[in-house]
Amino acid sequence: MQKQFVTPDPQDLVNALGVEPEITGETQMTLMFFDVTGEGLTFSYNTVGRSVSVHWSTKSGDPKLKIFREGATLLRIQESDGSTTLFVEFATQDTTGVLELQIFPNVSATETSLLS
């Protein structure tokens, strides 16, 4: 089982998403998308803890979606046909899965988790 969480270079995130990752913990980076999407969307990843979290809220701050997942192995950016999506792959002893967080043109989230 892979023990490392591979993430893109921070400059690649800036280039694709228009947002610079902010250091929000010793090994955690956070992307705040309000300025580029108008949505209360925050995506954090911790390379050492191999975890990600998504917080998406309404303009008034009421939560729409909260996700926290451990066992992250790969974070990548996919740009195609006018859409930009963050893909996070997961692998634990019992499950494998993918979290797809589309940023452009509209925010949407899809998660799949399967037994290994």
Side-chain angles (χ1 to χ4, degrees), residues 52-80:
V52 300
S53 66
V54 177
H55 292 262
W56 184 15
S57 59
T58 64
K59 289 184 185 346
S60 63
D62 295 323
K64 280 184 169 181
L65 177 71
K66 286 186 176 184
I67 295 174
F68 178 80
R69 286 289 309 266
E70 294 181 314
T73 58
L74 178 66
L75 168 62
R76 63 184 172 86
I77 307 159
Q78 181 173 316
E79 297 178 274
S80 63

Side-chain angles (χ1 to χ4, degrees), residues 12-52:
D12 292 339
L13 294 166
V14 173
N15 294 346
L17 304 168
V19 175
E20 187 169 345
E22 297 179 25
I23 299 169
T24 53
E26 199 169 304
T27 58
Q28 180 172 295
M29 303 294 280
T30 299
L31 299 163
M32 295 181 215
F33 291 103
F34 184 79
D35 289 343
V36 294
T37 64
E39 299 268 359
L41 180 65
T42 302
F43 176 83
S44 298
Y45 59 99
N46 184 317
T47 53
V48 173
R50 296 179 54 224
S51 64
V52 300

Side-chain angles (χ1 to χ4, degrees), residues 1 91-96 113-116:
M1 185 184 316
T92 65
Q93 184 175 349
D94 301 326
T95 62
T96 58
S113 184
L114 303 169
L115 292 174
S116 304

